[in-house]
């Protein structure tokens, strides 16, 4: 987990007369200050997921029998619901859609009209059911203070904030990760990991084990997980779509990972905040690697980052560091002599 901007930890051991350090500590202690790492965005910040939510809608559709991986749909660039014309980025730019797509290519190319249509076929209640199963809009239970629950866009939530009934347009917008959907980065990373491992939804932990100087284990965290009842062939279809995102020539993150030694599966997200008149949309990217035998899952959120594809290089740096280190984050801890001397 990492947040930026960060802060200099030396401020806590600075001389009491150090005015700059005193000011910096005051800023960190201010509960209204959300511009430093003291505000842990990874577990406390909630963000509209944008198109990173589409794989979840795909899973819901497959599991509820509303589509198949290869059923086709013609993306003309828009769909209309309740008198509202919902357009795609392609339509806004070129007055055209993506043409014929199926579930896999709709994830690959991030077709909004496809998911407007699919979401309404699935229904918002089924989408909410599957989102909860994947831990979205739910606390992960990570062993840190300050975790936010987030929000799942639903009929029930709308009743708490608006006096109007739920509409098909609401379902359409929720299906591309907009409307009220707001999740924490740790939820998104865990969601990506659950897709990667085929449906095992784990509780995240910070500490694997505590070891004494003599090598004996004081305490060890045992894996806690729930198996989500997703058919293997359905999860495979979603994984294919996410692999295509990062590897197909017209995937939304094509060429971002071409010089990595492993194949990556991912999904971009460009999340509108409602403030686009004055600032850029938020940008998100979720991924896992290697695509065939996953070891690591990553979620990146960049506030006002413009497009989801722009955040993929950050994920790439994380993956490169992990695999250049031979996946040491995945190996058992071994007590070394210098550590023993230090902890005696």
């Amino acid at each position: 987990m990492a947040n930026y901007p960060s802060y200099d930890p030396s401020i806590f051991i600075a001389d009491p007369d150090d005015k700059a350090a005193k000011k910096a500590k005051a800023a960190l202690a201010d509960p209204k200050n959300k511009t430093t790492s003291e505000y842990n965005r990874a577990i406390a910040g909630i963000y509209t997921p944008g198109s990173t939510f589409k794989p979840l809608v795909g899973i819901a559709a497959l599991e509820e029998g509303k589509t198949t991986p290869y059923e086709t749909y013609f993306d003309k660039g828009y769909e209309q619901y309740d008198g509202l014309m919902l357009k795609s980025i392609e339509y806004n730019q070129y007055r055209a859609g993506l043409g014929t797509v199926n579930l896999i290519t709709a994830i690959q190319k991030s077709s909004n009209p496809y998911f407007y249509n699919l979401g309404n076929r699935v229904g918002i209640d089924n989408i909410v059911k599957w989102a909860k199963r994947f831990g979205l809009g739910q606390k992960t239970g990570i062993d840190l203070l300050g975790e936010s629950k987030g929000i799942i866009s639903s009929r029930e939530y709308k009743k708490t904030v608006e006096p109007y009934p739920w509409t098909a347009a609401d379902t359409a917008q929720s299906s591309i990760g907009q409307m009220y959907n707001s999740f924490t980065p740790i939820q998104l990373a865990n969601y990506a990991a659950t897709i990667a491992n085929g449906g095992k939804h784990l509780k995240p932990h910070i500490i694997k084990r505590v070891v004494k100087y003599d090598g004996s284990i004081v305490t060890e965290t045992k894996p806690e997980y729930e198996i989500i009842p997703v058919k293997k062939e359905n999860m495979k279809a979603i994984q294919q779509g996410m692999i295509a995102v990062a590897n197909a020539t017209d995937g939304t993150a094509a060429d971002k990972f071409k010089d990595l030694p492993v194949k990556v599966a991912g999904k971009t997200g460009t999340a509108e905040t409602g403030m686009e008149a004055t600032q850029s949309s938020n940008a998100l990217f979720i991924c896992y690697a290697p695509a065939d035998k996953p070891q690591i899952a990553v979620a990146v959120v960049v506030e006002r980052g413009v497009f989801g594809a722009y955040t993929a290089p950050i994920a790439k740096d994380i993956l490169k560091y992990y695999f250049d280190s031979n996946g040491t984050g995945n190996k058992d801890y071994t007590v070394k002599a210098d550590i023993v001397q230090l902890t005696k």
Side-chain angles (χ1 to χ4, degrees):
M1 291 196 303
N3 293 282
Y4 184 85
S6 188
Y7 60 91
D8 181 358
S10 70
I11 62 175
F12 295 105
I13 56 170
D15 188 278
D17 297 326
D18 188 326
K19 292 182 180 179
K22 192 180 294 185
K23 185 178 179 181
K25 283 191 285 187
L28 287 178
D30 183 352
K32 295 179 182 177
N33 185 1
K34 296 183 178 181
T35 60
T36 74
S37 283
E38 189 75 359
Y39 175 66
N40 191 346
R41 291 168 174 79
I43 65 168
I46 59 172
Y47 301 92
T48 301
S51 295
T52 62
F53 191 63
K54 289 173 180 174
L56 184 282
V57 177
I59 289 168
L62 293 170
E63 288 295 316
E64 298 297 330
K66 301 300 182 182
T67 192
T68 68
Y70 301 104
E71 180 185 5
T72 59
Y73 163 89
F74 187 79
D75 175 352
K76 57 186 180 291
Y78 63 89
E79 283 282 350
Q80 286 187 287
Y81 299 99
D82 311 308
L84 186 64
M85 187 175 180
L86 301 177
K87 306 169 187 174
S88 66
I89 293 174
E90 295 79 21
Y91 189 84
N92 285 332
Q93 291 181 336
Y94 310 114
R95 288 296 181 267
L98 293 170
T100 301
V101 294
N102 57 36
L103 177 58
I104 294 169
T105 55
I107 291 173
Q108 170 187 327
K109 301 176 184 180
S110 207
S111 167
N112 281 357
Y114 175 92
F115 282 96
Y116 294 147
N117 178 276
L118 187 65
N120 270 290
R121 290 167 63 187
V122 177
I124 190 61
D125 296 337
N126 282 326
I127 293 171
V128 170
K129 177 178 76 175
W130 285 97
K132 287 181 176 178
R133 284 179 171 174
F134 276 78
L136 298 173
Q138 315 291 310
K139 288 186 177 181
T140 66
I142 193 170
D143 32 20
L144 290 172
L145 297 175
E147 184 179 16
S148 296
K149 181 179 179 182
I151 301 164
I152 300 178
S153 192
S154 64
R155 299 177 195 276
E156 292 70 29
Y157 183 78
K158 186 175 183 179
K159 288 175 184 175
T160 68
V161 293
E162 291 190 45
Y164 310 110
W166 188 266
T167 67
D170 293 340
T171 298
Q173 293 184 83
S174 298
S175 299
I176 63 162
Q178 293 287 156
M179 270 309 270
Y180 307 113
N181 283 318
S182 298
F183 309 134
T184 61
I186 190 69
Q187 287 172 11
L188 292 172
N190 215 20
Y191 154 61
T194 305
I195 293 173
N197 67 35
K200 185 184 285 188
H201 184 245
L202 287 109
K203 178 180 179 179
H205 290 283
I206 297 300
I207 302 209
K208 185 172 184 178
R209 63 174 68 106
V210 177
V211 185
K212 286 177 69 175
Y213 69 88
D214 60 3
S216 60
I217 296 173
V218 178
T219 182
E220 185 165 18
T221 302
K222 301 297 182 183
E224 300 172 64
Y225 60 86
E226 177 185 353
I227 300 294
I228 302 174
V230 179
K231 295 182 182 68
K232 190 174 182 179
E233 61 269 25
N234 290 343
M235 195 70 93
K236 186 176 180 181
I238 300 302
Q239 292 167 346
Q240 279 183 272
M242 293 178 68
I243 290 169
V245 165
N247 296 277
T249 54
D250 52 357
T252 55
D255 78 10
K256 305 294 184 187
F257 301 94
K258 60 186 178 183
D259 54 348
L260 278 182
V262 297
K263 184 179 282 189
V264 177
K267 184 70 194 81
T268 53
T270 302
E272 294 183 2
T273 61
M275 295 182 282
E276 275 68 24
T278 57
Q279 61 187 40
S280 299
S281 297
N282 288 342
L284 301 92
F285 188 74
I286 61 171
C287 67
Y288 61 87
D292 54 345
K293 294 184 72 174
Q295 293 182 34
I296 178 172
V298 177
V300 179
V301 179
V302 177
E303 296 172 13
R304 299 179 296 282
V306 189
F307 295 118
Y310 291 0
T311 65
I314 300 171
K316 177 187 173 183
D317 285 348
I318 296 167
L319 296 176
K320 187 174 187 304
Y321 183 86
Y322 179 86
F323 289 108
D324 282 354
S325 303
N326 298 313
T328 49
N330 204 40
K331 291 182 180 177
D332 283 342
Y333 176 83
T334 302
V335 179
K336 296 180 181 178
D338 54 344
I339 297 175
V340 171
Q341 291 302 317
L342 180 67
T343 56
K344 272 184 176 178

